[in-house]
Amino acid sequence: MGNTKVLVTDNLEQEGTSILKKANFEVDEKGKLSVEELEKIIGRYDVLIVRSGTRVPSSVIEKADNLKIIGRAGVGVDNVDVKTATAKGILVMNAPEGNTLSASEHTIGLILSLARNIPQADASLKTGKWERNRFMGTELFGKIIGIIGLGRIGKRVASIAHSLGMKVLGYDPYMTEEDALSLNISLMTLEGLCMQSDIISVHTPLVPETKHLLSEKQFFIMKDGVMIVNVARGGLIDEDILIKYIKNGKVRGVALDVFEKEPPLESELLKLDNAVVTPHLGASTREAQVNVARDICQQIIEAIQKKIIRNAINMSTMDEKLYEKMKGYLTLSEKLGIFLSQLLDDIPESLIIEYAGEIVNYDVSPLRAYVLKGFLERFCPVTYVNAPLILREKGIKLNEIKNKSAGEFFTTIRLEAKYSNESISVTGTVVSEKLKIVKINDFDVEAIPQGYLLICLNDDKPGLMGYIGTIIGKKNVNIASMTLGRKEKGGQAITVLNLDSEIDKQTIKEIEKFSGIWRIKLVRC
Ligand code: NAD
Ligand code: MLT
């Protein structure tokens, strides 16, 4: 396997790229690329890193045949077609924390600029005028700021606003009353916030649900003289309606760092005296850019080299602590999926995953992704990212069960493939960091899910082990370990052999001739 090839578009601080290079990744820094340019070269790369300047639509992703990760050095992933990336099994991750402070400070800078007409006064004085009456401002102390979206940046803006003596209202359907209360924010409806705020600042992601969150209905009910601030994403505010309300005097001033179309060179907003505008500078500080570059590159190295997934947009994430706790069970989950799929003749109607014991105290969604990837890879190309989607496409229903007790074990994971008239199951555990299969159907066994395993379901009668041993011995294949399980003497039984190497189909057919064997499978884990 060659080195991981990383394409970096947009400018990424070298503090990030240097750690990739140190980790032996091959890094190509191309600067900003058009969609057409990206389409031509994306097929060569394993990883793509972008900021907000590069668009990654479906036409690029469809050509990205080797791509495993799209890394966004920053928060918003609205420039990436996450849906198509997910369907193609590509992990999309962002670096959401590194620019929080810078974007919050820029927001406060714009609010102060608006309240005190700083940019306009600066421009006027530089043309030789001394217009002290024209630029009469307003104090922020005691004013009401309405913050829409109380995530990392919204909360930070709220905290600075408090220190300026402002009252903070908030609207965020995902924030609880208790959390809002602890931050001294009065949570309300969007309408309530629009009606009561002197300044409204938006801080949500741009998704279909938030597109034109501020439009006619909201502007209509706002206070006369309201000020509007957007350092999040163009598209959250309907710009045509905003312009209408600036022109009719209801909106006293607007400060925008982001626009529906960037750059907004044709926009009327650039011609309005009471619009303060900056060219998407919220994260443009050296500190923020070093932070996001380092964060995304570190995350990519961890994801590729250690399978630790942080800040994923289209997969559940695991920090290092959780990964350390889970890693044995993640491998076990994948192996059980691989193992069970090879015991089957056909795609089942449904799959049950039963998590039991201590593991149920944790988020089990990463285990699900590993089970499904292992299970599906016999049937089609699949990654941890698109495995749940492919399972649904194949019409296999998924049921998950959590059980507090794992019997004699600390934790077990059990998979069951169900058909209308039968079901096949396998249960595994981890003991002293070693993976073990402890049950196949109702039979207790002890096998290692590694290398080649020969599984026979048979009637419990003498002679089978000798018979198999002789045939396999003749083929010069060593039996590493063997386990027998039965429910009752002379009843149904199971024989599981860990083999040191593969045996061919002819040998399996020969073994199958032994009367009493009713199912035999060679499984590769
Ligand atoms: P975040 O994910 O921490 O916070 C977003 C918040 O929005 C969450 O609390 C979420 O619950 C809330 N939300 C989601 N849907 C909502 C809805 N319908 N109504 C109200 N609230 C809703 O993100 P963040 O890091 O705080 O970033 C916020 C925004 O700022 C993003 O759009 C990001 O892309 C943008 N951003 C811009 C710049 C810049 O350079 N201008 C820099 C950094 C971030
Ligand atoms: C972000 O979402 O992180 C910002 O838009 C900053 C950037 O342009 O990267």
Side-chain angles (χ1 to χ4, degrees), residues 72 75-78 96 99-100 103 106 148-154 171-175 202-207 209-210 213 230-233 236 257-258 280-284:
R72 163 71 164 95
V75 188
V77 287
D78 40 296
N99 61 28
T100 300
H106 196 69
I148 302 176
L150 293 160
R152 285 170 292 262
I153 297 170
Y171 168 66
D172 187 324
Y174 306 102
M175 174 168 266
V202 285
H203 297 283
T204 73
L206 177 64
V207 289
E209 189 203 337
T210 56
L213 197 68
N230 187 2
V231 181
R233 278 294 176 270
L236 296 175
D257 183 47
V258 287
H280 204 142
L281 293 183
S284 295

Side-chain angles (χ1 to χ4, degrees), residues 127-148:
T127 61
K129 293 181 195 148
W130 187 255
E131 302 181 291
R132 296 186 66 206
N133 290 336
R134 186 177 158 208
F135 297 119
M136 184 65 75
T138 179
E139 261 181 7
L140 295 179
F141 185 90
K143 298 292 184 310
I144 301 174
I145 181 167
I147 299 180
I148 302 176

